[in-house]
Amino acid sequence: MADRRRYTGAQRLQLGWTVIVVVSGVLAPLAVPSWLYGGVPYPGVLAGVSLLWILGLIGVGLYERNQWNSMVAESSFRSEQGTRQVDLEKIVGGRSVVVETDVAGFFAQAHTEIRTAIEEVEASFTIELTYVGVDGHSEGLTTGNESLDERFVIEGTEQNVGKLLSPDVQAALTEVETPGWCTVTGERVVYEVPFTRLSAQELDTLGDTIVVIAERIERVAATG
């Protein structure tokens, strides 16, 4: 079953609310007898609808902000209020893990990006892991780990994937239960989630997972 958070972010809810209000504001005066408005002239009705629309937008925004603040308060990440270059950050074993939110377009829902840099690796490669759920479909490369193969569609060369998926990386990935896609290169590890309404546990799990992956890539590079 698809995670409904993919479709119920603040941008989508505000857009849906706007459509409902606009349609109601246009059709209601035509479809409902005027006496139901208590004799209020149409401009007054329009002003009331506009106020209702604004309050709805504010309500959705406040709800989304409250969800975000609760997630941050319960997670191991902290807001970067000084630089504002990223939304959240935490340090794991001297490694910076950052979180940023991004809206790709006017009709798009905000995404969450959790990433960490990989140091001293010059190899050029790309491995993609797309989360498809606990009972996902069988595509991409198979690893022999049934739990992992159900959760992720893995794309990349067999050699690179084999080097990446050490037992500790496999164990970390099988803890992930958040829709999204992970991109591993010689420069960074990024896990992108198609919404922002994550739980604190999900955020911490994703942060810890990409750290495990980054450390594995660096170890493989160091040993040749």
Side-chain angles (χ1 to χ4, degrees):
M1 186 170 128
D3 195 314
R4 287 179 295 180
R5 291 176 296 179
R6 291 175 177 267
Y7 316 107
T8 58
Q11 291 79 11
R12 296 284 174 83
L13 292 177
Q14 288 174 334
L15 179 60
W17 174 246
T18 298
V19 171
I20 291 173
V21 170
V22 169
V23 171
S24 300
V26 171
L27 296 182
L30 303 176
V32 180
S34 59
W35 60 267
L36 288 179
Y37 291 110
V40 177
Y42 181 69
V45 174
L46 187 59
V49 170
S50 299
L51 178 60
L52 186 64
W53 171 65
I54 292 172
L55 291 176
L57 295 183
I58 293 174
V60 171
L62 290 176
Y63 175 75
E64 192 80 2
R65 175 52 56 182
N66 182 64
Q67 291 288 312
W68 176 268
N69 289 338
S70 297
M71 176 193 71
V72 175
E74 296 171 9
S75 77
S76 57
F77 285 83
R78 291 295 173 262
S79 298
E80 282 297 289
Q81 297 179 354
T83 63
R84 303 305 301 170
Q85 293 179 347
V86 296
D87 295 317
L88 305 172
E89 183 181 24
K90 74 172 179 177
I91 305 299
V92 181
R95 182 187 302 274
S96 172
V97 182
V98 301
V99 178
E100 285 188 302
T101 57
D102 178 61
V103 182
F106 182 76
F107 295 105
Q109 179 164 287
H111 286 202
T112 305
E113 183 180 282
I114 304 101
R115 69 175 185 271
T116 190
I118 292 177
E119 303 292 340
E120 300 180 357
V121 175
E122 297 181 358
S124 177
F125 65 91
T126 300
I127 299 173
E128 296 275 355
L129 303 98
T130 304
Y131 181 88
V132 290
V134 176
D135 298 314
H137 49 282
S138 179
E139 293 182 6
L141 298 177
T142 56
T143 65
N145 182 331
E146 184 176 346
S147 178
L148 182 62
D149 292 339
E150 285 182 347
R151 275 176 160 77
F152 288 94
V153 172
I154 304 172
E155 298 175 283
T157 67
E158 290 189 19
Q159 181 180 13
N160 287 337
V161 171
K163 290 180 178 179
L164 169 66
L165 295 180
S166 63
D168 57 334
V169 170
Q170 293 188 40
L173 287 170
T174 54
E175 293 296 318
V176 174
E177 296 182 351
T178 308
W181 45 95
C182 182
T183 303
V184 185
T185 69
E187 298 177 344
R188 65 181 63 87
V189 183
V190 181
Y191 197 104
E192 187 171 357
V193 182
F195 48 81
T196 60
R197 201 175 297 156
L198 289 82
S199 70
Q201 181 178 354
E202 286 179 310
L203 187 63
D204 284 335
T205 296
L206 292 176
D208 294 342
T209 298
I210 66 171
V211 166
V212 172
I213 293 173
E215 290 175 343
R216 172 60 181 173
I217 295 297
E218 290 172 354
R219 283 199 302 270
V220 170
T223 56

